[in-house]
């Protein structure tokens, strides 16, 4: 116990209290090999101080983590329906959650066209080589032809750029990041703003806000009927939008209402917006799924992009 404790490493001190106990002990022992002169009272005081210091140094401490303050995200109410459906024992239950084709047994129904496409990809024996930074060139080309029309003048003239992205949400995030940079790239002083319909898909505002884009709203669903389009209100709000802003439009099968402008309204809106200093951004997630016909579901994009 009285071995000379005069060479304690600084890294092992643990705390100011431990350091204080060590200094007190050194004073009591006088840092010598001769403990003579220490009274029994002093020895007991030193033992108590040393014991307290050891207990303090060994006490568990709460771990410090950069993740400690990160809150859990709120559960998705639509995805949550899937779990509620799985937990429901009723034999007559019907899933009204995420939109997907299902058979009479409630199981996912894979379209024959999707099965044929998967078989074609596998039969082609892809080499899994890295794609270009903008994705697979043939995929981008065919996607543009599908969305714009193979006879689109801007496509034929090489005035449309494309990039392959990961899923619809990934595409929105990449587009939002570009729109956030657009004012600065164009040398304009205005802040990035995007107008979205009221209502719109619940993740649209979150994605754009996280990218640094201010979100504003324009009228869409008629407040009286709740089932029809307030076209005049929509048009008036978009014509009054701040110059240099972006406008998000649902190309078809508006989410969550399913209410779309008519072909005539799309044509009128296209002509009106061409005279405005606005960037028109189409979220085209359901082309071909609204009516079952991809061409019939495409009045928004051809009317807006097939003219110079």
């Amino acid at each position: 116990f009285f071995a000379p404790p005069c060479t304690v490493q600084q890294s092992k001190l643990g705390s100011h209290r431990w350091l204080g106990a060590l200094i007190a002990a050194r004073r009591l022992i006088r840092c010598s090999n001769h403990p003579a002169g220490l009274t029994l009272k002093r020895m007991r005081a030193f033992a108590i101080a040393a014991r307290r210091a050891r207990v303090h140094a060994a006490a568990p401490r709460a771990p410090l983590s950069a993740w400690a303050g990160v809150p859990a995200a709120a559960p998705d109410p639509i995805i949550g329906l899937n779990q509620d459906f799985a937990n429901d024992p009723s034999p007559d239950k019907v899933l009204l959650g995420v939109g997907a084709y299902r058979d009479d047994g409630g199981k996912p129904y894979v379209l024959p066209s999707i099965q044929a496409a998967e078989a074609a990809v596998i039969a082609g024996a892809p080499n899994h080589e890295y794609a270009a930074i903008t994705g697979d060139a043939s995929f981008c080309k065919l996607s543009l032809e599908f969305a714009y029309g193979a006879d689109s003048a801007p496509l034929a003239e090489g005035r449309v750029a494309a990039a392959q992205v990961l899923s619809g949400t990934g595409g929105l995030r990449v587009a939002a990041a570009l729109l956030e940079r657009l004012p600065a790239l164009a040398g304009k002083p205005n802040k990035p703003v995007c107008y979205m319909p009221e209502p719109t898909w619940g993740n649209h505002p979150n994605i754009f806000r996280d990218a640094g884009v201010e979100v504003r709203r324009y009228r869409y669903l008629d407040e009286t009927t709740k089932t029809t389009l307030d076209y005049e209100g929509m048009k008036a709000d978009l014509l009054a939008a701040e110059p240099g802003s972006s406008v998000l439009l649902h190309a078809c099968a508006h989410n969550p209402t399913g209410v779309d402008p008519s072909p005539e309204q799309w044509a009128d809106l296209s002509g009106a917006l061409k005279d405005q200093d606005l960037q028109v951004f189409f979220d085209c997630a359901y082309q071909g799924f609204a009516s079952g016909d991809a061409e019939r579901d495409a009045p928004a994009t051809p009317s807006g992009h097939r003219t110079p």
Side-chain angles (χ1 to χ4, degrees):
F1 181 79
F2 288 108
C6 300
T7 57
V8 178
Q9 296 294 324
Q10 182 70 24
S11 62
K12 295 182 180 179
L13 293 179
S15 69
H16 294 296
R17 183 180 296 178
W18 173 251
L19 179 59
L22 177 62
I23 293 173
R26 287 167 61 94
R27 287 176 178 174
L28 286 171
I29 297 175
R30 304 175 188 276
C31 286
S32 70
N33 294 324
H34 302 286
L38 287 176
T39 66
L40 181 60
K41 185 177 180 179
R42 288 182 177 180
M43 290 171 62
R44 286 177 178 174
F46 169 63
I48 292 173
R51 187 182 304 114
R52 288 177 177 174
R54 287 196 300 271
V55 170
H56 177 79
R61 300 181 181 180
L64 298 178
S65 171
W67 304 98
V70 179
D76 187 290
I78 298 178
I79 299 297
L81 285 177
N82 288 1
Q83 189 60 47
D84 293 340
F85 177 83
N87 295 337
D88 192 334
S90 173
D92 301 320
K93 61 185 178 181
V94 177
L95 179 59
L96 300 178
V98 178
Y101 288 107
R102 297 186 180 273
D103 59 22
D104 293 337
K107 303 298 182 182
Y109 176 71
V110 182
L111 297 174
S113 58
I114 299 298
Q115 294 177 338
E118 289 178 337
V121 170
I122 295 174
N127 58 18
H128 301 284
E129 181 62 272
Y130 278 103
I133 193 67
T134 53
D136 183 90
S138 60
F139 175 83
C140 292
K141 177 178 180 295
L142 294 173
S143 296
L144 289 175
E145 291 177 357
F146 177 81
Y148 286 69
D151 59 343
S152 167
L155 286 184
E157 297 166 6
R159 295 192 282 119
V160 182
Q164 183 180 2
V165 292
L166 179 62
S167 77
T169 300
L172 288 168
R173 185 61 175 84
V174 171
L178 176 60
L179 293 177
E180 190 276 332
R181 292 166 171 78
L182 195 57
L185 293 173
K188 297 181 178 180
N190 55 297
K191 59 186 177 182
V193 175
C194 183
Y195 289 82
M196 299 182 179
E198 180 61 54
T200 190
W201 181 47
N203 271 346
H204 274 149
N206 298 333
I207 294 169
F208 277 72
R209 288 192 186 108
D210 281 349
V213 178
E214 179 185 340
V215 173
R216 299 178 187 174
R217 299 294 192 139
Y218 62 84
R219 284 172 284 178
Y220 193 85
L221 195 65
D222 190 287
E223 288 293 329
T224 303
T225 66
K226 302 294 185 181
T227 58
T228 57
L229 177 68
D230 180 7
Y231 176 69
E232 294 303 324
M234 172 188 180
K235 181 179 177 180
D237 287 351
L238 292 181
L239 292 180
E242 181 180 339
S245 300
S246 302
V247 174
L248 186 148
L249 297 168
H250 296 233
C252 67
H254 177 274
N255 185 356
T257 69
V259 176
D260 295 326
S262 67
E264 294 75 22
Q265 289 171 333
W266 275 125
D268 178 64
L269 187 64
S270 174
L273 293 183
K274 282 186 175 66
D275 295 330
Q276 307 300 309
D277 180 17
L278 298 173
Q279 306 301 322
V280 180
F281 174 62
F282 284 98
D283 185 353
C284 184
Y286 303 113
Q287 186 174 344
F289 288 91
S291 68
D293 186 309
E295 287 298 320
R296 190 184 305 172
D297 287 350
T301 45
S303 66
H305 298 284
R306 286 187 178 180
T307 55

